[in-house]
Amino acid sequence: FVETGGGSAGEARARAEAVVRAADVVDALVVTDPAGQSALWRIREDASGTATRMPDGTEAWPGWEDCAVPPARLGAYLRDFRALMAEHGLRGTPYGHFGDGCIHVRIDFDLLTEAGVARFRRFSEELAELVVAHGGSLSGEHGDGQARAELLPKMYGSEMVGLFERVKGVWDPDDLLNPGMLVRPAPLDSGLRFSVLPREPVDVAFGYPADGGDFPAAVRRCVGVAKCRTTSVSGSGVMCPSFRATGEEEHSTRGRARLLHEMLAGEVVTDGWRSEEVRDALDLCLSCKGCRSDCPVGVDMATYKAEFLHHHYAGRRRPAAHHTMGRLPVWLRAVARTRTAWLVNAFARVRPLARAAKRLGGIAPEREIPRLASRTFSRWWEQRRGSAQGDLVVLWPDTFTEHLSPAVGRAAVRVLEAAGLRVALPPTVHLAKPPVGDGRTVALDPLSLLRGRGRVCCGLTYVSTGQLDRARAVMRRTLDLMEPVLETDAPVVVLEPSCAAALRTDVPELLHDDPRAARLAAKVLTFAETLERHAPGWTPPRVARPVAGQTHCHQHAVLGDAADRRLREAARLTGELSGGCCGLAGNFGFEKGHHEVSAACAEEQLLPSVRDAPDGAVVLADGFSCRTQLQQLAGVRGRHLAEVLAEALDENSGRDGT
């Protein structure tokens, strides 16, 4: 990588070519495309983290991280280095400043067993001799510290290291400054980071498939690269909004991972899952999942937080917010069954009653209670006559669309049917051999009638509050209802990004023993993905307006937004959405004590992007949380992409006289 500075593209290219010629390289490619440059720089920035995982997923460590040889000797050294690794049965990916002869590498040492640590020592001793034989230095950039100190006699000789020791004795006779780092060092294989971690499996709820079901291995993913400690994010990046809001290490992904490490080690944090230090550090984690995609090693702090809360509150009284917002689907279904949304809305407008409700429910006093829909999406669906033509798609009636923003569901049906698709809702009754339901099906089987109707739910609110036993029960009931859908080729269209992400990741990771969970996850598509894959010949209406807003953090982290970008482009919606997190993040921004951080996250990118939007811009916000944050903090109405397209379809129909 060559950084060419400012100036025109032509000047930058000329400087890059001059550097390449001066380096006497065999071949080179000058990349001027901004997207290509961004991809290359991400490879460069993430290398130290990405290299900690081998292609097969096994762990690799910086056990020999920083040696350097004269550049003229680099080729010969690398060949000998590779041979030595092969001799010890080790693998690693070298990277770094090859032009300076400085090599970084992460090697798949086994640092968890006695035999593995012994091999680590033998390899380090032999490699030190190899570096010296090539006229190199054991530390080309980062310093010797404890990891190299025992090996320094191989490079300097015992007599010179003895002189180092005498000089230190003159200036630091009591050995107070960095004891054991350069002279009188501890053995290089003592005090290894993972020697204190439990060797027995830790009983956990999630499956952690990328880490073989091993929670300590998941926590070990963090190697301190500190990408989570950035003061700003570029493009669509998200991680880590709470750190950028507070600037505190304990509120970074790295800081939280370190505390979880100490919790598992039990030396500094001694009360395990009951630890208040860990709970307090995780309290300001928004569960945005940004680290799942933006962290070079894929640390998933949202999952770790849910896991911790599950154990921390087991058998104990939970915060009020866990009962109010964690069980939100239960309360909203009760309101819908009793048809009392009007009454709840009326109470919410009476300030003393609203204040009392928020205080009892653990809700931030600064927040307004969202207005409930007078008619749920499912009730609207049951009363309409839809199209029965085209390929079948099953539209997921998530809690937010169902009870809080049914207009989004109605708009999605309008667009999907205009694209030639036949829309159905998931079954509401579990039968032995049911047809694919459309939300209207009432079974004639007496047993099914006794069981009553059910509603599918992804379990997101239970997961985010750590109520994982309840989440699994809800998910299993959902899989029971969805069995007939799983037998078809129909995709499951999910409008709320956080629910789609939960179905793609949380459901199969919590129900890793149920093969139906993975089958459902494979069927989940976003609104834009559905149109692209199942109505490829459909042309969306021409909106021809600029856009502002923010890509949903869960969409960025789990689902991806490539299909959304192409759909917006086809509809002539111009401009880019910002990155970051809206700060509301489901229950987070509503919980008492979180409002200040929630607002600070919104002020980072979302609200400025809306304020700076050109006249006539469409404010896009596919997530209910994002729309709520915009409304409550800025008085701006955000809209789902489905709403924008449905409105354009209706306008075109009006112009055509249809």
Side-chain angles (χ1 to χ4, degrees):
F1 293 92
V2 178
E3 189 170 5
T4 57
S8 68
E11 292 170 341
R13 175 184 286 274
R15 284 195 297 273
E17 290 172 346
V19 171
V20 168
R21 285 194 300 273
D24 197 26
V25 300
V26 176
D27 194 10
L29 174 66
V30 178
V31 179
T32 58
D33 170 56
Q37 291 177 341
S38 177
L40 287 172
W41 276 115
R42 173 152 190 184
I43 293 172
R44 173 64 181 86
E45 292 163 358
D46 291 357
S48 60
T50 304
T52 62
R53 283 295 184 276
M54 303 303 294
D56 61 2
T58 53
E59 298 167 297
W61 306 108
W64 194 268
E65 174 61 11
D66 190 37
C67 60
V69 298
R73 300 287 305 166
L74 180 63
Y77 166 73
L78 284 175
R79 285 189 288 273
D80 290 343
F81 171 68
R82 291 285 194 187
L84 186 61
M85 282 203 301
E87 181 182 330
H88 285 268
L90 297 169
R91 298 172 298 165
T93 304
Y95 66 98
H97 319 287
F98 281 29
D100 297 320
C102 182
I103 303 302
H104 302 308
V105 63
R106 302 294 169 99
I107 301 174
D108 64 340
F109 295 116
D110 169 15
L111 301 179
L112 299 174
T113 67
E114 290 186 10
V117 172
R119 180 169 60 167
F120 161 69
R121 165 173 275 281
R122 291 193 303 273
F123 176 82
S124 299
E125 291 171 342
E126 293 178 30
L127 187 53
E129 294 172 354
L130 179 63
V131 171
V132 172
H134 282 277
S137 169
L138 302 184
S139 299
E141 184 180 14
H142 294 159
D144 298 306
Q146 185 172 315
R148 302 286 180 273
E150 187 187 354
L151 301 171
L152 289 179
K154 295 181 181 294
M155 186 168 70
Y156 292 110
S158 299
E159 184 177 352
M160 182 63 72
V161 172
L163 179 59
F164 293 165
E165 185 174 341
R166 292 197 298 274
V167 170
K168 187 177 191 297
V170 171
W171 295 101
D172 182 20
D174 295 324
D175 204 22
L176 299 177
L177 304 177
N178 282 339
M181 289 298 168
L182 290 177
V183 299
R184 296 185 293 277
L188 62 88
D189 54 349
S190 66
L192 294 176
R193 178 183 178 190
F194 305 130
S195 61
V196 294
L197 291 182
R199 293 295 178 264
E200 297 300 320
V202 176
D203 185 25
V204 288
F206 283 94
Y208 302 99
D211 298 290
D214 185 355
F215 183 67
V219 172
R220 288 199 304 268
R221 281 182 170 272
C222 180
V223 292
V225 174
K227 191 173 181 181
C228 52
R229 286 180 51 87
T230 53
T231 56
S232 63
V233 294
S234 59
S236 61
V238 174
M239 185 181 72
C240 174
S242 55
F243 172 77
R244 291 194 297 277
T246 68
E248 298 291 336
E249 170 74 10
E250 68 176 308
H251 298 138
S252 68
T253 306
R254 182 179 75 172
R256 292 172 178 129
R258 185 62 194 178
L259 276 171
L260 287 168
H261 173 98
E262 297 296 348
M263 180 194 80
L264 292 170
E267 293 183 335
V268 178
V269 177
T270 57
D271 42 0
W273 295 111
R274 301 298 194 193
S275 167
E276 294 186 4
E277 302 100 317
V278 178
R279 181 201 63 196
D280 291 345
L282 289 170
D283 182 55
L284 291 186
C285 171
L286 283 78
S287 297
C288 66
K289 289 189 177 288
C291 48
R292 186 176 178 120
S293 62
D294 293 353
C295 173
V297 290
V299 170
D300 185 0
M301 195 53 62
T303 298
Y304 305 169
K305 177 181 179 179
E307 186 76 63
F308 175 82
L309 293 176
H310 169 67
H311 294 279
H312 184 76
Y313 288 109
R316 305 168 78 186
R317 188 174 70 176
R318 286 179 169 272
H322 287 196
H323 297 289
T324 53
M325 288 173 283
R327 300 195 173 210
L328 187 65
V330 174
W331 309 129
L332 293 181
R333 280 197 292 271
V335 170
R337 281 196 297 269
T338 57
R339 305 200 177 193
T340 52
W342 64 272
L343 184 60
V344 174
N345 292 334
F347 282 165
R349 289 196 296 270
V350 180
R351 290 185 180 275
L353 293 176
R355 276 198 301 269
K358 286 186 280 189
R359 186 166 59 251
L360 290 172
I363 298 172
E366 300 90 343
R367 286 292 175 187
E368 298 175 21
I369 298 176
R371 184 176 179 82
L372 304 186
S374 58
R375 183 171 64 160
T376 65
F377 171 63
S378 294
R379 190 163 293 144
W380 168 83
W381 173 265
E382 291 168 356
Q383 296 169 353
R384 72 182 290 272
R385 291 183 178 180
S387 167
Q389 304 299 316
D391 293 340
L392 176 68
V393 297
V394 177
L395 183 61
W396 185 271
D398 64 84
T399 295
F400 306 102
T401 300
E402 174 74 0
H403 300 282
L404 295 163
S405 55
V408 172
R410 295 195 297 267
V413 172
R414 169 78 170 94
V415 175
L416 292 169
E417 290 186 343
L421 299 173
R422 178 165 58 97
V423 181
L425 265 60
T428 57
V429 177
H430 179 54
L431 295 171
K433 292 184 178 181
V436 174
D438 61 0
R440 301 190 185 94
T441 304
V442 177
L444 299 179
D445 178 354
L447 291 178
S448 69
L449 290 174
L450 287 174
R451 282 194 294 266
R453 280 191 169 194
R455 294 290 181 188
V456 294
C457 179
C458 67
L460 171 65
T461 59
Y462 303 103
V463 172
S464 62
T465 53
Q467 301 180 74
L468 300 186
D469 289 336
R470 178 66 178 168
R472 282 188 287 217
V474 167
M475 292 171 180
R476 289 197 194 279
R477 285 204 299 270
T478 292
L479 291 176
D480 290 342
L481 287 171
M482 291 294 289
E483 278 193 20
V485 177
L486 300 181
E487 299 301 322
T488 73
D489 294 330
V492 177
V493 188
V494 186
L495 302 175
E496 172 63 42
S498 57
C499 294
L503 290 167
R504 285 252 186 107
T505 59
D506 294 330
V507 171
E509 289 174 15
L510 265 180
L511 300 183
H512 45 89
D513 58 341
D514 191 331
R516 298 176 302 172
R519 289 164 58 198
L520 175 58
K523 281 184 168 292
V524 170
L525 296 180
T526 66
F527 174 71
E529 287 173 337
T530 302
L531 290 171
E532 184 172 80
R533 298 185 193 182
H534 294 272
W538 180 69
T539 301
R542 183 186 177 94
V543 182
R545 291 173 63 184
V547 296
Q550 190 173 58
T551 301
H552 194 286
C553 51
H554 286 193
Q555 176 128 20
H556 166 79
V558 177
L559 309 168
D561 66 341
D564 293 74
R565 289 173 179 271
R566 289 188 287 269
L567 180 56
R568 293 199 302 268
E569 182 180 355
R572 302 297 189 269
L573 287 164
T574 59
E576 293 292 327
L577 302 185
S578 71
C581 177
C582 76
L584 193 61
N587 59 290
F588 175 85
F590 272 97
E591 290 186 13
K592 184 179 179 181
H594 291 173
H595 185 265
E596 184 178 353
V597 170
S598 175
C601 293
E603 283 290 352
E604 185 193 12
Q605 291 206 54
L606 175 59
L607 298 186
S609 74
V610 172
R611 294 190 195 106
D612 298 340
D615 292 339
V618 177
V619 178
L620 287 178
D622 281 2
F624 176 77
S625 290
C626 306
R627 295 193 295 274
T628 302
Q629 189 80 310
L630 282 165
Q631 182 63 51
Q632 295 198 1
L633 296 186
V636 172
R637 183 193 171 207
R639 292 192 291 171
H640 195 287
L641 181 57
E643 294 181 284
V644 176
L645 296 181
E647 181 180 292
L649 284 171
D650 292 338
E651 289 176 355
N652 290 347
S653 296
R655 284 195 294 268
D656 296 341
T658 57

